[in-house]
Amino acid sequence: MLDHELELIAALVEGRLGDESEARALIASSPELQEEYEAQRIAYETLRAAPTVAMSETERAALHRDVWTALRADSPMARTRRAPWYYRWTPVAAGLFVLVGLVAVVNQAGDGGSGESARLAADMPVETTAADATAEGDDGGQAPAVEEDSNDGEDATVTTAAASAETTEAMSEGSDLLSAGETAFYASEAESLREGDVDGAALQSYDEDATRAELETCLDDAGLPGYEVLETLTGSLDHTDDEAASDVSRLIAAIPEDADLATAPIAFVDLIDCVLVHLDE
Amino acid sequence: MTTAAQDAELLARVLDGDHDAFDQIMRNHEDRVFSVCLRIVGNREHAMDATQETFLTVFRKAGQFKGNSALGTWIYRIAVNTCYDQLRKQKRRRTDPMPDHVDPADHTAEDALESAGLRPGIERALAALPDDFRSAVILSDIEGMGLPDVAAVLGIPVGTVKSRVFRGRRLLARELGNQNQ
């Protein structure tokens, strides 16, 4: 069956054709097309005749009451319990620490450069202008500065790596702060994912504001560069009866790139705040 | 004022902290969200949970809505994804059998569908469809959405929607035929 034949049948079934004669002639010419048309027509008419469903007034009132109750319970305290503030600010603090270090080194190098300029200026003939001296001095001063920057770059890398490791460790330790219900939820999700229950379709059809690239950016923001998205899921803890019962959030499940899903640590990242909320190892 | 324009104005008010505006957005869309969820999850209680979760997500993410589509489309997209999550949880827990697993002779299940406001024959046939086909058929043929809107809600190309609807109807007709035999 050709695409345009299927298109024509669908249009005929849905009553979208102004002139139906061509479609009806085509269908009449083939038993296969006739059978397909009948199947499509029966299904479409049955679905169109499906009874309307609606909430009762009691359900409607309960919906509004429960939504507002949950939103009121969604206080900063509740979110802090799940992702304490110092977890969120640790990467920022590490970044600032590195930045301050860099500024200090650059300043130091700048001072050295001035000294070098003065030395070079002193060696120059009197005819040399101050501007020339400064320019040459800058050149001279830059070499050690670059070298120092380079060294500092290594230090910074080490510092950043250490900070990152500490952050991950701290976040991992943060799992201890989860409630029993949350721990059970993440353990269950991780187990299912390790068993291969990854719903790629759910990821592809996730809402418009979260493309795969944005999810990966969120992982970077959460201090997990090099992790790849497994899927998105809803962290609904409604199967527990603890205080987190109404705490619902969108989560990204991710593992290190090229890692073996069966053994890799699985990170759960809050999609709204882009913070690591649990690392299942 | 069109529904889309009204929604945009309401959303702006929500972002300004007007809770009444959010209540109005809920009232504008809750029936359809509930209807879609009930068809997808096949259980009134779970549909209510999914509807509630949908609006919680809408409120929490209201600031992230970019306006690339109608607010309703965005809300139904969140609803469909929430329902998928519900289905996955149900399948994992396996403590709450879905209508697609029941014996046709199971009158208790039929009663449950009828009391949920659903017609057992159609709902059982719908439940037998793969999730992707079912959501496409529900949005297109029951909710009466246009193909571009269905595509926007499901986050897939229009051509894929056409294919899923067509194949979904074919499978549905076969299921309905099997039930009549």
Side-chain angles (χ1 to χ4, degrees), chain A:
Chain A
M1 218 174 293
L2 301 172
D3 279 351
H4 82 271
E5 293 173 337
L6 302 182
E7 181 81 32
L8 213 53
I9 289 174
L12 181 63
V13 164
E14 293 163 18
R16 288 190 278 115
L17 293 176
D19 179 8
E20 298 182 350
S21 57
E22 183 195 350
R24 292 201 179 279
L26 177 74
I27 290 166
S29 69
S30 158
E32 187 191 5
L33 292 179
Q34 182 69 40
E35 189 181 335
E36 185 66 59
Y37 168 71
E38 283 303 319
Q40 294 288 321
R41 187 185 61 75
I42 289 169
Y44 180 74
E45 289 177 0
T46 304
L47 291 168
R48 296 298 289 170
T52 305
V53 291
M55 279 183 284
S56 67
E57 285 313 306
T58 308
E59 287 171 327
R60 196 181 305 279
L63 172 69
H64 284 254
R65 184 195 62 224
D66 292 347
V67 164
W68 286 113
T69 301
L71 289 175
R72 281 187 205 103
D74 196 17
S75 63
M77 279 294 286
R79 300 197 72 75
T80 301
R81 188 179 55 75
R82 197 179 62 212
W85 66 270
Y86 48 85
Y87 289 176
R88 303 179 188 202
W89 289 101
T90 300
V92 177
L96 279 175
F97 179 76
V98 170
L99 189 64
V100 167
L102 277 173
V103 168
V105 169
V106 167
N107 282 343
Q108 202 175 12
D111 290 339
S114 299
E116 186 75 358
S117 300
R119 189 181 61 76
L120 286 170
D123 292 344
M124 282 177 192
V126 176
E127 294 84 355
T128 308
T129 64
D132 290 340
T134 304
E136 289 189 29
D138 279 350
D139 288 345
Q142 274 175 2
V146 168
E147 193 177 318
E148 285 185 43
D149 278 352
S150 175
N151 288 338
D152 187 65
E154 286 176 19
D155 291 346
T157 305
V158 171
T159 307
T160 307
S164 178
E166 285 169 14
T167 301
T168 306
E169 190 180 342
M171 288 172 173
S172 183
E173 286 171 1
S175 300
D176 297 339
L177 301 177
L178 298 176
S179 69
E182 286 171 318
T183 302
F185 168 77
Y186 290 117
S188 164
E189 290 291 332
E191 186 183 347
S192 298
L193 291 168
R194 289 202 173 93
E195 287 170 357
D197 186 8
V198 178
D199 190 355
L203 175 61
Q204 286 167 13
S205 61
Y206 190 63
D207 69 87
E208 65 172 12
D209 293 322
T211 62
R212 178 178 283 274
E214 286 169 324
L215 295 178
E216 286 167 355
T217 302
C218 191
L219 290 180
D220 289 345
D221 291 347
L224 298 170
Y227 271 62
E228 65 179 349
V229 180
L230 275 179
E231 69 171 4
T232 56
L233 59 151
T234 301
S236 169
L237 303 171
D238 56 3
H239 59 297
T240 68
D241 55 4
D242 65 8
E243 62 179 296
S246 62
D247 197 4
V248 178
S249 65
R250 305 292 299 184
L251 298 165
I252 306 170
I255 60 170
E257 277 176 356
D258 302 325
D260 179 7
L261 177 58
T263 55
I266 298 180
F268 293 93
V269 173
D270 187 309
L271 185 49
I272 296 172
D273 297 328
C274 295
V275 293
L276 177 66
V277 291
H278 180 67
L279 190 66
D280 191 280
E281 296 178 290

Side-chain angles (χ1 to χ4, degrees), chain B residues 129-174:
Chain B
L129 300 183
D131 292 347
D132 289 343
F133 291 3
R134 183 162 70 247
S135 51
V137 163
I138 288 169
L139 294 173
S140 168
D141 292 352
I142 296 183
E143 297 300 326
M145 286 187 188
L147 292 176
D149 285 340
V150 178
V153 168
L154 297 180
I156 56 177
V158 171
T160 308
V161 175
K162 284 183 185 176
S163 169
R164 287 184 186 177
V165 169
F166 201 88
R167 291 161 68 189
R169 284 181 194 155
R170 186 188 293 162
L171 289 173
L172 194 83
R174 193 178 300 161

